[in-house]
mmCIF file of all heavy atoms in Angstrom:
data_model
loop_
_atom_site.group_PDB
_atom_site.id
_atom_site.type_symbol
_atom_site.label_atom_id
_atom_site.label_comp_id
_atom_site.label_asym_id
_atom_site.label_seq_id
_atom_site.Cartn_x
_atom_site.Cartn_y
_atom_site.Cartn_z
ATOM 1 N N ASP A 1 86.176 59.884 155.878
ATOM 2 C CA ASP A 1 85.677 58.622 156.454
ATOM 3 C C ASP A 1 85.498 57.557 155.375
ATOM 4 O O ASP A 1 85.688 56.364 155.631
ATOM 5 C CB ASP A 1 84.342 58.854 157.181
ATOM 6 C CG ASP A 1 84.517 59.630 158.483
ATOM 7 O OD1 ASP A 1 85.669 59.729 158.956
ATOM 8 O OD2 ASP A 1 83.509 60.144 159.010
ATOM 9 N N LEU A 2 85.106 57.988 154.169
ATOM 10 C CA LEU A 2 84.918 57.056 153.058
ATOM 11 C C LEU A 2 86.214 56.299 152.775
ATOM 12 O O LEU A 2 86.203 55.093 152.491
ATOM 13 C CB LEU A 2 84.463 57.827 151.814
ATOM 14 C CG LEU A 2 84.093 57.007 150.573
ATOM 15 C CD1 LEU A 2 82.861 56.153 150.829
ATOM 16 C CD2 LEU A 2 83.835 57.942 149.381
ATOM 17 N N PHE A 3 87.345 56.996 152.869
ATOM 18 C CA PHE A 3 88.643 56.349 152.663
ATOM 19 C C PHE A 3 88.980 55.400 153.803
ATOM 20 O O PHE A 3 89.484 54.295 153.576
ATOM 21 C CB PHE A 3 89.745 57.402 152.511
ATOM 22 C CG PHE A 3 89.895 57.904 151.111
ATOM 23 C CD1 PHE A 3 89.285 59.080 150.704
ATOM 24 C CD2 PHE A 3 90.630 57.180 150.180
ATOM 25 C CE1 PHE A 3 89.423 59.536 149.411
ATOM 26 C CE2 PHE A 3 90.774 57.632 148.877
ATOM 27 C CZ PHE A 3 90.163 58.816 148.489
ATOM 28 N N TYR A 4 88.714 55.827 155.025
ATOM 29 C CA TYR A 4 89.027 54.946 156.158
ATOM 30 C C TYR A 4 88.126 53.705 156.171
ATOM 31 O O TYR A 4 88.513 52.652 156.682
ATOM 32 C CB TYR A 4 88.922 55.713 157.477
ATOM 33 C CG TYR A 4 90.119 56.611 157.729
ATOM 34 C CD1 TYR A 4 89.974 57.989 157.869
ATOM 35 C CD2 TYR A 4 91.409 56.081 157.797
ATOM 36 C CE1 TYR A 4 91.080 58.813 158.080
ATOM 37 C CE2 TYR A 4 92.512 56.896 158.003
ATOM 38 C CZ TYR A 4 92.344 58.249 158.152
ATOM 39 O OH TYR A 4 93.445 59.057 158.351
ATOM 40 N N GLN A 5 86.916 53.835 155.591
ATOM 41 C CA GLN A 5 86.019 52.677 155.464
ATOM 42 C C GLN A 5 86.457 51.759 154.319
ATOM 43 O O GLN A 5 86.068 50.585 154.275
ATOM 44 C CB GLN A 5 84.580 53.155 155.210
ATOM 45 C CG GLN A 5 83.935 53.843 156.403
ATOM 46 C CD GLN A 5 82.794 54.773 156.001
ATOM 47 O OE1 GLN A 5 82.356 54.782 154.843
ATOM 48 N NE2 GLN A 5 82.318 55.574 156.939
ATOM 49 N N ASN A 6 87.235 52.320 153.382
ATOM 50 C CA ASN A 6 87.751 51.547 152.238
ATOM 51 C C ASN A 6 89.264 51.750 152.159
ATOM 52 O O ASN A 6 89.763 52.422 151.239
ATOM 53 C CB ASN A 6 87.088 52.011 150.944
ATOM 54 C CG ASN A 6 85.585 51.856 150.946
ATOM 55 O OD1 ASN A 6 85.058 50.828 150.545
ATOM 56 N ND2 ASN A 6 84.882 52.892 151.390
ATOM 57 N N PRO A 7 90.025 51.214 153.124
ATOM 58 C CA PRO A 7 91.465 51.507 153.223
ATOM 59 C C PRO A 7 92.272 51.197 151.969
ATOM 60 O O PRO A 7 93.291 51.847 151.716
ATOM 61 C CB PRO A 7 91.933 50.666 154.413
ATOM 62 C CG PRO A 7 90.836 49.702 154.691
ATOM 63 C CD PRO A 7 89.578 50.307 154.197
ATOM 64 N N SER A 8 91.845 50.239 151.165
ATOM 65 C CA SER A 8 92.593 49.921 149.942
ATOM 66 C C SER A 8 92.584 51.108 148.973
ATOM 67 O O SER A 8 93.485 51.258 148.150
ATOM 68 C CB SER A 8 92.003 48.695 149.250
ATOM 69 O OG SER A 8 90.672 48.951 148.825
ATOM 70 N N MET A 9 91.566 51.967 149.097
ATOM 71 C CA MET A 9 91.453 53.122 148.213
ATOM 72 C C MET A 9 92.464 54.219 148.560
ATOM 73 O O MET A 9 92.742 55.082 147.729
ATOM 74 C CB MET A 9 90.027 53.691 148.265
ATOM 75 C CG MET A 9 88.996 52.787 147.640
ATOM 76 S SD MET A 9 89.309 52.576 145.873
ATOM 77 C CE MET A 9 88.386 51.074 145.551
ATOM 78 N N ILE A 10 92.989 54.194 149.771
ATOM 79 C CA ILE A 10 93.995 55.185 150.157
ATOM 80 C C ILE A 10 95.244 55.008 149.297
ATOM 81 O O ILE A 10 95.800 55.966 148.763
ATOM 82 C CB ILE A 10 94.348 55.084 151.656
ATOM 83 C CG1 ILE A 10 93.127 55.434 152.523
ATOM 84 C CG2 ILE A 10 95.520 56.004 152.004
ATOM 85 C CD1 ILE A 10 93.357 55.273 154.021
ATOM 86 N N ASN A 11 95.667 53.754 149.121
ATOM 87 C CA ASN A 11 96.856 53.474 148.300
ATOM 88 C C ASN A 11 96.595 53.701 146.819
ATOM 89 O O ASN A 11 97.505 54.078 146.078
ATOM 90 C CB ASN A 11 97.321 52.033 148.518
ATOM 91 C CG ASN A 11 98.092 51.887 149.816
ATOM 92 O OD1 ASN A 11 98.552 52.872 150.378
ATOM 93 N ND2 ASN A 11 98.212 50.672 150.301
ATOM 94 N N LEU A 12 95.354 53.460 146.381
ATOM 95 C CA LEU A 12 95.026 53.622 144.970
ATOM 96 C C LEU A 12 94.787 55.088 144.618
ATOM 97 O O LEU A 12 95.095 55.518 143.503
ATOM 98 C CB LEU A 12 93.776 52.799 144.630
ATOM 99 C CG LEU A 12 93.446 52.620 143.149
ATOM 100 C CD1 LEU A 12 94.609 51.972 142.407
ATOM 101 C CD2 LEU A 12 92.185 51.813 142.976
ATOM 102 N N ASN A 13 94.248 55.872 145.567
ATOM 103 C CA ASN A 13 93.930 57.286 145.320
ATOM 104 C C ASN A 13 94.508 58.180 146.421
ATOM 105 O O ASN A 13 93.762 58.895 147.108
ATOM 106 C CB ASN A 13 92.411 57.479 145.254
ATOM 107 C CG ASN A 13 91.757 56.667 144.160
ATOM 108 O OD1 ASN A 13 91.815 57.011 142.999
ATOM 109 N ND2 ASN A 13 91.134 55.555 144.551
ATOM 110 N N PRO A 14 95.825 58.156 146.628
ATOM 111 C CA PRO A 14 96.400 58.926 147.738
ATOM 112 C C PRO A 14 96.162 60.429 147.631
ATOM 113 O O PRO A 14 95.999 61.122 148.638
ATOM 114 C CB PRO A 14 97.902 58.603 147.661
ATOM 115 C CG PRO A 14 98.139 58.164 146.253
ATOM 116 C CD PRO A 14 96.877 57.473 145.835
ATOM 117 N N VAL A 15 96.116 60.954 146.395
ATOM 118 C CA VAL A 15 95.921 62.398 146.215
ATOM 119 C C VAL A 15 94.547 62.824 146.723
ATOM 120 O O VAL A 15 94.417 63.831 147.426
ATOM 121 C CB VAL A 15 96.097 62.789 144.731
ATOM 122 C CG1 VAL A 15 95.648 64.226 144.481
ATOM 123 C CG2 VAL A 15 97.557 62.621 144.321
ATOM 124 N N PHE A 16 93.511 62.056 146.386
ATOM 125 C CA PHE A 16 92.166 62.391 146.865
ATOM 126 C C PHE A 16 92.083 62.265 148.390
ATOM 127 O O PHE A 16 91.384 63.037 149.048
ATOM 128 C CB PHE A 16 91.120 61.484 146.212
ATOM 129 C CG PHE A 16 90.822 61.835 144.778
ATOM 130 C CD1 PHE A 16 90.270 60.899 143.916
ATOM 131 C CD2 PHE A 16 91.086 63.109 144.287
ATOM 132 C CE1 PHE A 16 89.992 61.219 142.594
ATOM 133 C CE2 PHE A 16 90.815 63.447 142.963
ATOM 134 C CZ PHE A 16 90.259 62.492 142.114
ATOM 135 N N PHE A 17 92.786 61.290 148.933
ATOM 136 C CA PHE A 17 92.812 61.146 150.394
ATOM 137 C C PHE A 17 93.442 62.379 151.037
ATOM 138 O O PHE A 17 92.920 62.928 152.017
ATOM 139 C CB PHE A 17 93.595 59.888 150.784
ATOM 140 C CG PHE A 17 93.827 59.746 152.264
ATOM 141 C CD1 PHE A 17 92.814 59.309 153.104
ATOM 142 C CD2 PHE A 17 95.065 60.063 152.823
ATOM 143 C CE1 PHE A 17 93.024 59.186 154.477
ATOM 144 C CE2 PHE A 17 95.287 59.951 154.186
ATOM 145 C CZ PHE A 17 94.253 59.507 155.020
ATOM 146 N N LEU A 18 94.570 62.833 150.488
ATOM 147 C CA LEU A 18 95.270 64.006 151.029
ATOM 148 C C LEU A 18 94.411 65.263 150.903
ATOM 149 O O LEU A 18 94.314 66.059 151.842
ATOM 150 C CB LEU A 18 96.597 64.212 150.300
ATOM 151 C CG LEU A 18 97.652 63.110 150.488
ATOM 152 C CD1 LEU A 18 98.844 63.360 149.578
ATOM 153 C CD2 LEU A 18 98.114 63.024 151.942
ATOM 154 N N LYS A 19 93.778 65.442 149.758
ATOM 155 C CA LYS A 19 92.950 66.633 149.555
ATOM 156 C C LYS A 19 91.749 66.644 150.495
ATOM 157 O O LYS A 19 91.369 67.698 151.022
ATOM 158 C CB LYS A 19 92.479 66.696 148.092
ATOM 159 C CG LYS A 19 93.579 67.113 147.121
ATOM 160 C CD LYS A 19 93.071 67.206 145.699
ATOM 161 C CE LYS A 19 94.179 67.668 144.751
ATOM 162 N NZ LYS A 19 94.549 69.078 144.959
ATOM 163 N N GLY A 20 91.144 65.473 150.708
ATOM 164 C CA GLY A 20 90.017 65.394 151.643
ATOM 165 C C GLY A 20 90.417 65.839 153.037
ATOM 166 O O GLY A 20 89.698 66.588 153.705
ATOM 167 N N ASN A 21 91.583 65.396 153.483
ATOM 168 C CA ASN A 21 92.089 65.801 154.799
ATOM 169 C C ASN A 21 92.381 67.297 154.850
ATOM 170 O O ASN A 21 92.144 67.956 155.860
ATOM 171 C CB ASN A 21 93.344 65.002 155.154
ATOM 172 C CG ASN A 21 93.024 63.651 155.745
ATOM 173 O OD1 ASN A 21 92.763 63.521 156.933
ATOM 174 N ND2 ASN A 21 93.002 62.636 154.897
ATOM 175 N N ASN A 22 92.897 67.824 153.744
ATOM 176 C CA ASN A 22 93.181 69.260 153.680
ATOM 177 C C ASN A 22 91.903 70.076 153.879
ATOM 178 O O ASN A 22 91.863 71.026 154.671
ATOM 179 C CB ASN A 22 93.809 69.600 152.330
ATOM 180 C CG ASN A 22 93.993 71.083 152.134
ATOM 181 O OD1 ASN A 22 94.553 71.781 152.973
ATOM 182 N ND2 ASN A 22 93.491 71.598 151.022
ATOM 183 N N TYR A 23 90.826 69.694 153.172
ATOM 184 C CA TYR A 23 89.573 70.451 153.279
ATOM 185 C C TYR A 23 88.908 70.240 154.634
ATOM 186 O O TYR A 23 88.257 71.153 155.159
ATOM 187 C CB TYR A 23 88.632 70.060 152.138
ATOM 188 C CG TYR A 23 89.239 70.311 150.780
ATOM 189 C CD1 TYR A 23 89.174 69.360 149.766
ATOM 190 C CD2 TYR A 23 89.917 71.500 150.509
ATOM 191 C CE1 TYR A 23 89.756 69.585 148.525
ATOM 192 C CE2 TYR A 23 90.498 71.730 149.269
ATOM 193 C CZ TYR A 23 90.417 70.777 148.286
ATOM 194 O OH TYR A 23 90.999 71.003 147.066
ATOM 195 N N LEU A 24 89.083 69.052 155.205
ATOM 196 C CA LEU A 24 88.548 68.809 156.547
ATOM 197 C C LEU A 24 89.218 69.743 157.551
ATOM 198 O O LEU A 24 88.549 70.382 158.379
ATOM 199 C CB LEU A 24 88.773 67.346 156.931
ATOM 200 C CG LEU A 24 88.374 66.946 158.362
ATOM 201 C CD1 LEU A 24 86.891 67.203 158.608
ATOM 202 C CD2 LEU A 24 88.707 65.474 158.624
ATOM 203 N N LEU A 25 90.536 69.842 157.483
ATOM 204 C CA LEU A 25 91.277 70.717 158.392
ATOM 205 C C LEU A 25 90.920 72.188 158.159
ATOM 206 O O LEU A 25 90.803 72.972 159.107
ATOM 207 C CB LEU A 25 92.779 70.499 158.216
ATOM 208 C CG LEU A 25 93.309 69.186 158.795
ATOM 209 C CD1 LEU A 25 94.685 68.857 158.234
ATOM 210 C CD2 LEU A 25 93.366 69.246 160.320
ATOM 211 N N GLU A 26 90.719 72.550 156.888
ATOM 212 C CA GLU A 26 90.339 73.929 156.583
ATOM 213 C C GLU A 26 88.971 74.268 157.172
ATOM 214 O O GLU A 26 88.769 75.353 157.729
ATOM 215 C CB GLU A 26 90.315 74.128 155.062
ATOM 216 C CG GLU A 26 90.405 75.579 154.647
ATOM 217 C CD GLU A 26 90.699 75.753 153.169
ATOM 218 O OE1 GLU A 26 91.427 74.921 152.591
ATOM 219 O OE2 GLU A 26 90.194 76.725 152.605
ATOM 220 N N ALA A 27 88.024 73.332 157.074
ATOM 221 C CA ALA A 27 86.689 73.555 157.628
ATOM 222 C C ALA A 27 86.747 73.693 159.149
ATOM 223 O O ALA A 27 86.102 74.576 159.732
ATOM 224 C CB ALA A 27 85.764 72.402 157.236
ATOM 225 N N ILE A 28 87.535 72.824 159.807
ATOM 226 C CA ILE A 28 87.665 72.904 161.275
ATOM 227 C C ILE A 28 88.338 74.211 161.664
ATOM 228 O O ILE A 28 87.991 74.830 162.680
ATOM 229 C CB ILE A 28 88.461 71.698 161.819
ATOM 230 C CG1 ILE A 28 87.757 70.384 161.486
ATOM 231 C CG2 ILE A 28 88.614 71.806 163.348
ATOM 232 C CD1 ILE A 28 88.597 69.144 161.766
ATOM 233 N N PHE A 29 89.296 74.676 160.864
ATOM 234 C CA PHE A 29 89.965 75.949 161.122
ATOM 235 C C PHE A 29 88.954 77.096 161.132
ATOM 236 O O PHE A 29 88.972 77.949 162.018
ATOM 237 C CB PHE A 29 91.033 76.194 160.051
ATOM 238 C CG PHE A 29 91.564 77.598 160.015
ATOM 239 C CD1 PHE A 29 92.379 78.080 161.027
ATOM 240 C CD2 PHE A 29 91.228 78.451 158.971
ATOM 241 C CE1 PHE A 29 92.867 79.388 160.991
ATOM 242 C CE2 PHE A 29 91.714 79.747 158.931
ATOM 243 C CZ PHE A 29 92.532 80.219 159.947
ATOM 244 N N PHE A 30 88.035 77.111 160.152
ATOM 245 C CA PHE A 30 87.041 78.173 160.090
ATOM 246 C C PHE A 30 86.027 78.082 161.230
ATOM 247 O O PHE A 30 85.476 79.091 161.664
ATOM 248 C CB PHE A 30 86.315 78.141 158.743
ATOM 249 C CG PHE A 30 87.153 78.642 157.598
ATOM 250 C CD1 PHE A 30 87.232 77.923 156.409
ATOM 251 C CD2 PHE A 30 87.870 79.823 157.694
ATOM 252 C CE1 PHE A 30 88.005 78.389 155.348
ATOM 253 C CE2 PHE A 30 88.651 80.297 156.651
ATOM 254 C CZ PHE A 30 88.719 79.573 155.472
ATOM 255 N N ILE A 31 85.807 76.866 161.722
ATOM 256 C CA ILE A 31 84.896 76.686 162.865
ATOM 257 C C ILE A 31 85.584 77.062 164.176
ATOM 258 O O ILE A 31 84.953 77.308 165.190
ATOM 259 C CB ILE A 31 84.382 75.219 162.905
ATOM 260 C CG1 ILE A 31 83.539 74.924 161.655
ATOM 261 C CG2 ILE A 31 83.565 74.949 164.155
ATOM 262 C CD1 ILE A 31 83.243 73.449 161.445
ATOM 263 N N ARG A 32 86.932 77.115 164.149
ATOM 264 C CA ARG A 32 87.756 77.536 165.290
ATOM 265 C C ARG A 32 87.723 76.528 166.451
ATOM 266 O O ARG A 32 87.681 76.909 167.611
ATOM 267 C CB ARG A 32 87.296 78.910 165.811
ATOM 268 C CG ARG A 32 87.562 80.065 164.857
ATOM 269 C CD ARG A 32 89.059 80.317 164.765
ATOM 270 N NE ARG A 32 89.392 81.558 164.095
ATOM 271 C CZ ARG A 32 89.637 81.693 162.805
ATOM 272 N NH1 ARG A 32 89.554 80.640 162.018
ATOM 273 N NH2 ARG A 32 89.971 82.845 162.285
ATOM 274 N N ASN A 33 87.781 75.242 166.101
ATOM 275 C CA ASN A 33 87.816 74.208 167.138
ATOM 276 C C ASN A 33 89.240 73.641 167.168
ATOM 277 O O ASN A 33 89.567 72.694 166.456
ATOM 278 C CB ASN A 33 86.793 73.111 166.815
ATOM 279 C CG ASN A 33 86.695 72.056 167.909
ATOM 280 O OD1 ASN A 33 87.635 71.839 168.678
ATOM 281 N ND2 ASN A 33 85.557 71.405 167.987
ATOM 282 N N LYS A 34 90.108 74.241 167.993
ATOM 283 C CA LYS A 34 91.529 73.862 167.962
ATOM 284 C C LYS A 34 91.774 72.432 168.440
ATOM 285 O O LYS A 34 92.579 71.721 167.823
ATOM 286 C CB LYS A 34 92.381 74.843 168.763
ATOM 287 C CG LYS A 34 93.879 74.564 168.577
ATOM 288 C CD LYS A 34 94.764 75.721 168.912
ATOM 289 C CE LYS A 34 96.218 75.423 168.568
ATOM 290 N NZ LYS A 34 97.129 76.540 168.813
ATOM 291 N N PRO A 35 91.134 71.944 169.526
ATOM 292 C CA PRO A 35 91.385 70.543 169.922
ATOM 293 C C PRO A 35 91.075 69.557 168.796
ATOM 294 O O PRO A 35 91.849 68.634 168.536
ATOM 295 C CB PRO A 35 90.450 70.339 171.121
ATOM 296 C CG PRO A 35 90.279 71.711 171.692
ATOM 297 C CD PRO A 35 90.268 72.628 170.496
ATOM 298 N N LYS A 36 89.921 69.754 168.119
ATOM 299 C CA LYS A 36 89.558 68.875 167.003
ATOM 300 C C LYS A 36 90.553 69.054 165.848
ATOM 301 O O LYS A 36 90.932 68.089 165.181
ATOM 302 C CB LYS A 36 88.137 69.200 166.526
ATOM 303 C CG LYS A 36 87.665 68.422 165.307
ATOM 304 C CD LYS A 36 87.591 66.924 165.540
ATOM 305 C CE LYS A 36 86.420 66.529 166.407
ATOM 306 N NZ LYS A 36 86.278 65.063 166.518
ATOM 307 N N PHE A 37 90.996 70.291 165.620
ATOM 308 C CA PHE A 37 91.956 70.598 164.561
ATOM 309 C C PHE A 37 93.268 69.858 164.794
ATOM 310 O O PHE A 37 93.802 69.204 163.891
ATOM 311 C CB PHE A 37 92.201 72.117 164.519
ATOM 312 C CG PHE A 37 93.100 72.566 163.404
ATOM 313 C CD1 PHE A 37 92.583 72.908 162.161
ATOM 314 C CD2 PHE A 37 94.473 72.656 163.589
ATOM 315 C CE1 PHE A 37 93.423 73.324 161.125
ATOM 316 C CE2 PHE A 37 95.325 73.073 162.567
ATOM 317 C CZ PHE A 37 94.785 73.408 161.332
ATOM 318 N N ILE A 38 93.790 69.932 166.005
ATOM 319 C CA ILE A 38 95.056 69.260 166.332
ATOM 320 C C ILE A 38 94.901 67.746 166.236
ATOM 321 O O ILE A 38 95.791 67.041 165.729
ATOM 322 C CB ILE A 38 95.535 69.664 167.749
ATOM 323 C CG1 ILE A 38 95.847 71.167 167.809
ATOM 324 C CG2 ILE A 38 96.753 68.847 168.161
ATOM 325 C CD1 ILE A 38 96.939 71.632 166.852
ATOM 326 N N GLU A 39 93.746 67.244 166.665
ATOM 327 C CA GLU A 39 93.484 65.798 166.593
ATOM 328 C C GLU A 39 93.527 65.314 165.144
ATOM 329 O O GLU A 39 94.185 64.312 164.824
ATOM 330 C CB GLU A 39 92.099 65.507 167.201
ATOM 331 C CG GLU A 39 91.655 64.047 167.093
ATOM 332 C CD GLU A 39 90.161 63.861 167.330
ATOM 333 O OE1 GLU A 39 89.570 64.655 168.094
ATOM 334 O OE2 GLU A 39 89.592 62.927 166.736
ATOM 335 N N LYS A 40 92.838 66.044 164.254
ATOM 336 C CA LYS A 40 92.771 65.632 162.849
ATOM 337 C C LYS A 40 94.100 65.861 162.121
ATOM 338 O O LYS A 40 94.470 65.088 161.237
ATOM 339 C CB LYS A 40 91.632 66.367 162.132
ATOM 340 C CG LYS A 40 90.242 65.950 162.587
ATOM 341 C CD LYS A 40 90.002 64.473 162.316
ATOM 342 C CE LYS A 40 88.641 64.010 162.777
ATOM 343 N NZ LYS A 40 88.448 62.544 162.553
ATOM 344 N N LEU A 41 94.814 66.934 162.499
ATOM 345 C CA LEU A 41 96.125 67.190 161.895
ATOM 346 C C LEU A 41 97.106 66.075 162.279
ATOM 347 O O LEU A 41 97.868 65.583 161.436
ATOM 348 C CB LEU A 41 96.663 68.550 162.343
ATOM 349 C CG LEU A 41 98.052 68.952 161.809
ATOM 350 C CD1 LEU A 41 98.104 68.923 160.289
ATOM 351 C CD2 LEU A 41 98.455 70.331 162.331
ATOM 352 N N THR A 42 97.079 65.668 163.529
ATOM 353 C CA THR A 42 97.948 64.586 164.003
ATOM 354 C C THR A 42 97.615 63.273 163.298
ATOM 355 O O THR A 42 98.501 62.531 162.856
ATOM 356 C CB THR A 42 97.810 64.414 165.532
ATOM 357 O OG1 THR A 42 98.098 65.656 166.173
ATOM 358 C CG2 THR A 42 98.749 63.341 166.051
ATOM 359 N N GLU A 43 96.310 63.001 163.161
ATOM 360 C CA GLU A 43 95.842 61.783 162.479
ATOM 361 C C GLU A 43 96.300 61.782 161.016
ATOM 362 O O GLU A 43 96.770 60.762 160.491
ATOM 363 C CB GLU A 43 94.311 61.744 162.551
ATOM 364 C CG GLU A 43 93.683 60.440 162.138
ATOM 365 C CD GLU A 43 92.161 60.468 162.331
ATOM 366 O OE1 GLU A 43 91.702 60.344 163.488
ATOM 367 O OE2 GLU A 43 91.444 60.634 161.328
ATOM 368 N N PHE A 44 96.182 62.942 160.380
ATOM 369 C CA PHE A 44 96.603 63.096 158.985
ATOM 370 C C PHE A 44 98.105 62.848 158.831
ATOM 371 O O PHE A 44 98.546 62.086 157.958
ATOM 372 C CB PHE A 44 96.242 64.501 158.498
ATOM 373 C CG PHE A 44 96.926 64.906 157.220
ATOM 374 C CD1 PHE A 44 96.625 64.278 156.019
ATOM 375 C CD2 PHE A 44 97.876 65.917 157.206
ATOM 376 C CE1 PHE A 44 97.251 64.651 154.836
ATOM 377 C CE2 PHE A 44 98.510 66.297 156.035
ATOM 378 C CZ PHE A 44 98.194 65.654 154.852
#
């Protein structure tokens, strides 16, 4: 969310943006919420 609140930082720090999404998806995977998982994977 910090990146989406500061969109210019996505272009300046794309690696951190990608890693944040990776860990978000990993956390949702462990929680076993597939609808939320697919939503965030699609958004990513």
Side-chain angles (χ1 to χ4, degrees):
D1 288 345
L2 185 65
F3 274 97
Y4 283 120
Q5 291 157 10
N6 300 270
S8 63
M9 291 296 160
I10 295 176
N11 282 342
L12 192 58
N13 300 283
V15 169
F16 285 158
F17 173 78
L18 295 173
K19 286 182 178 290
N21 277 277
N22 174 51
Y23 301 134
L24 175 60
L25 287 163
E26 200 167 326
I28 300 170
F29 166 71
F30 286 132
I31 296 167
R32 292 291 192 268
N33 185 335
K34 188 160 186 177
K36 176 63 74 174
F37 184 90
I38 296 300
E39 176 196 330
K40 291 299 179 182
L41 179 56
T42 304
E43 191 176 283
F44 165 67

